[in-house]
Amino acid sequence: MFSIDKLREIEKKKKEWQEGTLKESLKRFKATESPNRFYTPLDIPDFDFLEKVGFPGEYPYTASTYPSMVPGTGPVKGGGPFAVAGLARAGRYSGYATAEDTRDYYKDMIARGWRVGANLAFDLPTQCGYDSDHPMAEGEVGKTGVAINTLQDMETIFEPFIGDLGLDRVATNMNINAPAIIMLSMFITVAEKKGVPLNKLRGTPQNDILKEYTGRGTYIFPPGPALRLSRDSFVYLRKNVPSLNIISISAHFRDGGADSVKSFGYQFSNAIAYAQVAQEGGLDVDDFLPYFTLGTGGCHTMEILHAIAQIRASRRVWAKLTRERLKAKDPKSWIVRTIPGRLLANLTTRQRPLNNFTRTVLGGVAIALSGDVPAVGPGYDEPLGLGTSLEAQQLSEDAARILFHEARLCDVIDPFAGSYYMEALTNQVEEEIWKTIGRIDAVGGAVAAIETGFLQREIAQNAYKIQKEIETGERVIVGVNNSRSPIPMTPKGGSRLKKNR
């Protein structure tokens, strides 16, 4: 991008600046080192725009997955980010208590204007394969999602989805992994009983068992047998339910304490394992990869500029991984098909929950500036319960609308493209993701990394590091370990208003 002579000139000027202007400023404030960095072309001397960024919607997809945000795109009621003819969407992550309670919730939301499908959360007993009356389920039924025990429960939940919200008109997501194949069979049976052709069903089963061993813990079988269930579901869905995604490979490693950059490497290593079992099941790589979705589009850190770089780098890594390693030839296989991006819930706090709204808006800003449509979430009250208050929902949806329509953050795709800092940081993040994938390859791949405990140890070590930084104050979380004293509602000496009177 710059000639060698120009780079030398910039390097000379940089040294003069460091020894002059910068040094004098630090001396004035009795500082020995600047807390800030300033980036120049010296940080990306070999930058090649077409190789590193390219155009939106084209390899390597650094700028954006899609070439434009088409007219009509934008946040919509119910939590989905798109409102475009022909696109079926699932709504906000939801579900609690009994099937009847969740059904009534959907009825209420539809009456309030929802035009999206169910995005089901399941309680922990259901996720672990227990019925609600099992002794192991005591105290957990219906708490983190809806309890499903029978086909009738599934039928009850989908009672409100009729007419223009029928299962052939909206997308349905099911966030469950170990028993995913069972929930899929129930969902398909409900569709058949409603007279919906299977080729009209759209949506996504999470079906991502590998991350359960390291990120959440809701697994039933060892990794090997569990992957056989994944393989069988992939093959069945591609042959019989062709418009349904077959898996959503998530980033729950962050919830377990993983480093925000390394979590992308863990996620992509799991994707490699899933691709291998799909091929073992006889599927062609370009037949199943377009039906993989990944949770890479969210804001994985409160360091917003880093979050932008992570999203950009993850798109580039996935494009290279699928084209060069998995040998996919269809460009549809190279793109990251991700869930609507938002701030990860583990970055919100129970203390001073209203601060979470600020955090989630910043997350939406990062997503917009990374070349995607912003979604703002979770609700500020997420750490206090299920995060379902209508006030929190309204604030989140309106925040996304303000970012899109008023702040107009989506008028330019990837506005940081070519930035010395952002391109250097994106390169750095990409390199770290590849190193993480390489380390997992070295121990035999994702399954071996789980079975040997390699991945669990690495995540646990980082979780300990994060917690230690929080407890020592090295990692500042406002309202948790910093600025905890409330602002006095009345000044000392009484109300100034009264004194002025």
Side-chain angles (χ1 to χ4, degrees):
M1 190 165 68
F2 289 86
S3 67
I4 293 176
D5 288 342
K6 194 65 177 177
L7 288 172
R8 286 173 179 165
E9 181 185 351
I10 293 170
E11 186 172 20
K12 179 184 175 183
K13 290 290 185 182
K14 181 179 179 181
K15 287 179 180 177
E16 291 175 358
W17 170 75
Q18 288 173 330
E19 293 301 318
T21 305
L22 177 60
K23 192 172 184 179
E24 286 299 316
S25 177
L26 293 176
K27 183 179 178 181
R28 178 187 173 194
F29 291 102
K30 297 181 175 56
T32 57
E33 185 177 345
S34 173
N36 321 107
R37 279 201 63 182
F38 181 74
Y39 282 71
T40 72
L42 297 172
D43 293 289
I44 50 169
D46 302 317
F47 178 69
D48 183 321
F49 172 79
L50 292 178
E51 177 192 351
K52 292 293 188 179
V53 181
F55 290 92
E58 291 188 353
Y59 189 88
Y61 302 97
T62 308
S64 182
T65 300
Y66 301 106
S68 70
M69 298 174 191
V70 298
T73 301
V76 297
K77 194 166 188 64
F82 297 105
V84 183
L87 293 183
R89 294 294 176 196
R92 183 182 295 105
Y93 186 53
S94 49
Y96 71 102
T98 65
E100 290 78 12
D101 291 318
T102 296
R103 173 201 61 196
D104 293 345
Y105 173 77
Y106 284 137
K107 283 183 177 180
D108 183 47
M109 290 298 101
I110 290 169
R112 294 174 186 270
W114 268 33
R115 312 316 293 165
V116 289
N119 188 353
L120 282 170
F122 297 89
D123 70 356
L124 291 178
T126 302
Q127 291 183 53
C128 292
Y130 292 110
D131 284 337
S132 295
D133 59 358
H134 193 283
M136 289 290 289
E138 186 175 355
E140 293 293 342
V141 177
K143 280 194 173 180
T144 63
V146 63
I148 298 292
N149 298 289
T150 65
L151 174 61
Q152 185 176 350
D153 289 335
M154 193 70 84
E155 289 181 275
T156 298
I157 287 172
F158 287 103
E159 284 176 11
F161 295 95
I162 56 177
D164 64 347
L165 290 177
L167 297 184
D168 56 341
R169 306 292 295 277
V170 298
T172 302
N173 293 354
M174 291 181 286
N175 299 276
I176 196 162
N177 301 285
I181 200 165
I182 297 169
M183 295 300 133
L184 275 168
S185 66
M186 289 185 178
F187 174 64
I188 289 168
T189 302
V190 170
E192 289 176 332
K193 294 180 79 170
K194 284 176 171 282
V196 176
L198 298 191
N199 63 358
K200 297 290 186 181
L201 291 177
R202 289 174 285 187
T204 308
Q206 191 166 92
N207 204 16
D208 174 17
I209 188 58
L210 290 179
K211 62 96 171 55
E212 293 298 328
Y213 301 97
T214 54
R216 294 185 69 249
T218 61
Y219 55 88
I220 300 172
F221 310 109
L227 272 181
R228 291 202 296 272
L229 287 177
S230 299
R231 177 200 64 199
D232 292 347
S233 67
F234 295 166
V235 173
Y236 175 84
L237 291 175
R238 290 305 304 126
K239 290 181 179 178
N240 299 283
V241 196
S243 296
L244 200 72
N245 294 319
I246 61 177
I247 190 171
S248 178
I249 306 167
S250 70
H252 279 301
F253 309 100
R254 286 289 285 141
D255 297 306
D259 173 81
S260 63
V261 175
K262 290 178 182 177
S263 67
F264 288 97
Y266 304 151
Q267 195 173 11
F268 291 148
S269 291
N270 281 0
I272 292 168
Y274 290 126
Q276 289 170 342
V277 298
Q279 289 173 307
E280 290 168 5
L283 297 178
D284 181 78
V285 67
D286 283 317
D287 180 45
F288 64 80
L289 276 180
Y291 295 88
F292 274 22
T293 69
L294 296 100
T296 59
C299 185
H300 290 213
T301 172
M302 279 306 304
E303 298 177 57
I304 297 306
L305 295 174
H306 279 256
I308 296 168
Q310 289 172 13
I311 297 170
R312 297 175 85 244
S314 69
R315 290 194 289 252
R316 191 156 76 204
V317 170
W318 181 251
K320 291 180 180 179
L321 177 67
T322 51
R323 190 169 83 163
E324 297 173 13
R325 177 164 176 168
L326 299 180
K327 306 300 181 186
K329 295 180 173 59
D330 186 347
K332 291 180 181 178
S333 299
W334 306 337
I335 64 172
V336 170
R337 300 176 63 250
T338 185
I339 58 175
R342 64 174 201 164
L343 187 81
L344 292 192
N346 71 338
L347 297 173
T348 60
T349 66
R350 178 178 57 81
Q351 299 91 331
R352 295 194 186 172
L354 285 174
N355 285 348
N356 296 328
F357 185 58
T358 302
R359 295 184 177 104
T360 57
V361 170
L362 287 171
V365 169
I367 292 158
L369 296 181
S370 75
D372 207 345
V373 178
V376 174
Y380 71 83
D381 56 358
E382 177 90 0
L384 303 180
L386 290 172
T388 55
S389 74
L390 293 179
E391 178 188 48
Q393 290 181 24
Q394 186 72 63
L395 280 170
S396 293
E397 290 182 7
D398 281 350
R401 295 182 184 111
I402 290 168
L403 295 180
F404 189 88
H405 296 295
E406 296 185 33
R408 302 189 71 85
L409 291 185
C410 296
D411 281 6
V412 176
I413 295 175
D414 193 21
F416 279 109
S419 157
Y420 307 134
Y421 167 68
M422 187 54 66
E423 297 303 351
L425 186 57
T426 301
N427 291 343
Q428 178 185 324
V429 170
E430 179 187 5
E431 182 180 356
E432 183 59 36
I433 292 173
W434 284 117
K435 283 182 180 178
T436 302
I437 294 171
R439 286 201 310 275
I440 293 174
D441 284 344
V443 299
V447 175
I450 293 167
E451 291 176 335
T452 60
F454 170 85
L455 199 50
Q456 292 92 320
R457 285 192 298 273
E458 187 160 298
I459 293 173
Q461 287 167 0
N462 196 72
Y464 172 77
K465 174 176 174 287
I466 291 172
Q467 188 60 34
K468 187 175 180 180
E469 289 173 354
I470 293 171
E471 292 178 5
T472 61
E474 181 181 351
R475 182 183 294 251
V476 173
I477 302 177
V478 174
V480 176
N481 64 355
N482 181 275
S483 307
R484 290 186 295 178
S485 299
I487 298 174
M489 299 304 292
T490 304
K492 290 182 180 179
S495 168
R496 288 197 182 97
L497 184 59
K498 286 184 179 179
K499 292 179 87 172
N500 289 338
R501 284 179 178 173

